[in-house]
């Protein structure tokens, strides 16, 4: 899996950073991609990436501030104008349905694909064959969530050589055995897949925070994840100002990563006051607390 940052700025776009949007590439599963937030200009950013709007399966919105949702009407209508027919599911806090439907109605827009809009609360958001997504409430002036993505554990490798040695020749039933199922062969023999499958491979986990001041839910959201994405709107010297507006400082983001047992931290959602030359200083503030910290820039790609 890969995370690509389409926008890494807070509040307003700058010359160096667009407003928030993140893409999760699921091509290793022969699937498309998911988006997390869709700030203004997201569809323009997508034009500079391999992302295909028609292959976006799900969009998860953390909250309804403009820098996280104003790109939605344009992306949805452009997806239609390009002839997309694949369904798309949009998740977000209460109000996201009204925002999207009103925008489409007042602009006389129409969609060529089925759009399902799910207004969420804390708890499980969706669960399919590969992933479970859970929403956690954060601390912000409006209702806001962070999303935890847990990949389901996978069966270990199938020991095909031992199967053949035991007289079970290769065939389509090997797929069922790899899933740990029991298979009855034509000659009546029953083969238990778990007898030939190695140790379970633990699924990967990812936490994507929306905007938040320090919050009680943070450690549960990010507990032991392989990769954590957290806002770091302002430097530590401006921590009081950040918290007063429902945001976090660099050091506070790093503390969450350390206390939750996350393996890696990526900071994003930086104030437009910071220019490229400020980045190392902000990154150093995080690394003093949590060394495995990286900073996202627009179009940066990170492997999960």
């Amino acid at each position: 899996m890969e995370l690509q940052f389409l926008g890494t700025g807070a509040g307003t776009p700058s010359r160096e950073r667009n407003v928030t949007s993140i893409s999760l590439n699921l091509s290793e599963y022969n699937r498309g991609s998911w988006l997390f937030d869709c700030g203004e200009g997201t569809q323009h950013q997508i034009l500079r990436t391999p992302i295909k709007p028609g292959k976006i399966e799900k969009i998860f919105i953390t909250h309804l501030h403009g820098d996280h949702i104003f790109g939605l009407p344009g992306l949805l209508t452009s997806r239609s104008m390009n002839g997309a027919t694949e369904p798309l599911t949009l998740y977000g806090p209460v109000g996201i349905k009204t925002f999207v439907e009103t925008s489409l109605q007042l602009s006389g827009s129409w969609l060529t694909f089925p759009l399902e809009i799910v207004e969420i609360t804390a708890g499980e958001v969706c669960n399919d064959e590969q992933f479970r997504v859970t929403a956690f409430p954060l601390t912000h002036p409006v209702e806001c969530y962070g999303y935890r993505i847990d990949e389901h554990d996978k069966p270990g490798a199938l020991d095909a050589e031992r199967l053949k040695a035991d007289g079970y020749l290769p065939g389509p039933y090997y797929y069922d055995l790899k899933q740990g199922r029991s298979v009855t062969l034509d000659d009546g023999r029953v083969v238990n897949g778990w007898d030939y499958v190695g140790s379970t491979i633990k699924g990967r986990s990812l936490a994507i925070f929306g905007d938040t001041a320090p919050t009680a839910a943070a450690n549960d959201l990010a507990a032991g994840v392989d990769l954590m994405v957290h806002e770091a709107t302002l430097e530590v010297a401006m921590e009081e100002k950040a918290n007063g507006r429902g945001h976090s400082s660099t050091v506070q983001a790093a503390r969450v990563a350390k206390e939750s047992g996350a393996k890696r931290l990526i900071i994003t959602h930086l104030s437009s006051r910071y220019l490229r030359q400020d980045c190392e200083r902000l990154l150093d503030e995080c690394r003093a607390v949590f060394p495995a910290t990286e900073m996202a820039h627009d179009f940066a790609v990170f492997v999960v």
Side-chain angles (χ1 to χ4, degrees):
M1 295 189 291
E2 290 181 342
L3 272 188
Q4 182 162 29
F5 286 78
L6 302 173
T8 56
T12 61
S14 68
R15 290 177 181 267
E16 297 178 353
R17 297 179 184 273
N18 196 49
V19 286
T20 299
S21 185
I22 306 170
S23 170
L24 179 62
N25 179 353
L26 302 177
S27 60
E28 74 172 73
Y29 281 103
N30 294 316
R31 297 174 61 166
S33 60
W34 293 356
L35 284 188
F36 293 84
D37 286 330
C38 189
E40 181 182 357
T42 293
Q43 65 171 321
H44 296 270
Q45 300 289 86
I46 286 174
L47 293 174
R48 299 172 62 185
T49 73
I51 299 166
K52 294 180 171 57
K55 296 297 184 182
I56 297 172
E57 298 178 358
K58 300 177 185 291
I59 301 176
F60 300 87
I61 299 298
T62 60
H63 64 293
L64 302 186
H65 277 157
D67 57 326
H68 294 256
I69 65 168
F70 283 169
L72 273 174
L75 176 62
L76 295 176
T77 52
S78 291
R79 192 176 190 264
S80 280
M81 293 180 73
N82 289 331
T85 58
E86 293 295 317
L88 188 152
T89 306
L90 172 64
Y91 303 89
V94 172
I96 190 65
K97 186 178 179 68
T98 298
F99 171 74
V100 170
E101 291 182 346
T102 302
S103 298
L104 297 177
Q105 179 185 0
L106 293 179
S107 62
S109 301
W110 44 269
L111 301 180
T112 59
F113 56 88
L115 174 65
E116 181 183 6
I117 303 176
V118 180
E119 295 191 324
I120 68 168
T121 55
E124 183 175 285
V125 172
C126 59
N127 196 343
D128 62 25
E129 290 184 357
Q130 282 95 32
F131 301 99
R132 178 175 186 257
V133 180
T134 310
F136 291 77
L138 302 179
T139 301
H140 201 54
V142 299
E143 184 179 5
C144 185
Y145 294 94
Y147 293 100
R148 180 184 176 107
I149 304 95
D150 287 297
E151 180 186 34
H152 296 312
D153 294 347
K154 300 176 184 178
L158 184 67
D159 192 341
E161 292 303 315
R162 190 156 67 87
L163 276 164
K164 287 186 282 188
D166 289 348
Y168 302 116
L169 299 179
Y173 69 96
Y174 269 30
Y175 175 82
D176 291 316
L177 295 178
K178 180 169 173 52
Q179 309 311 309
R181 303 183 188 120
S182 291
V183 175
T184 301
L185 304 182
D186 292 340
D187 60 10
R189 290 182 296 168
V190 177
V191 191
N192 184 350
W194 288 119
D195 292 339
Y196 294 91
V197 171
S199 300
T200 299
I201 302 169
K202 182 172 173 53
R204 292 160 290 185
S205 54
L206 170 66
I208 298 179
F209 282 72
D211 293 3
T212 189
T215 185
N219 285 352
D220 290 333
L221 169 54
V225 294
D226 295 296
L227 186 64
M228 168 183 150
V229 178
H230 198 291
E231 66 133 290
T233 304
L234 292 170
E235 61 197 282
V236 67
M238 302 182 72
E239 194 164 85
E240 185 176 350
K241 181 175 182 179
N243 296 169
R245 297 181 178 181
H247 292 293
S248 298
S249 72
T250 49
V251 168
Q252 287 172 328
R255 284 181 187 145
V256 172
K258 181 177 180 178
E259 292 170 4
S260 66
K263 295 181 176 66
R264 295 166 62 198
L265 166 65
I266 300 173
I267 55 169
T268 186
H269 199 269
L270 303 178
S271 168
S272 58
R273 72 177 60 230
Y274 300 117
L275 302 177
R276 181 73 65 168
Q277 58 264 31
D278 300 310
C279 291
E280 282 303 316
R281 176 170 58 85
L282 299 178
L283 197 50
D284 287 344
E285 289 186 352
C286 290
R287 287 176 172 170
V289 176
F290 188 76
T293 303
E294 299 168 87
M295 177 181 288
H297 298 278
D298 287 15
F299 307 111
V301 176
F302 299 87
V303 176
V304 183

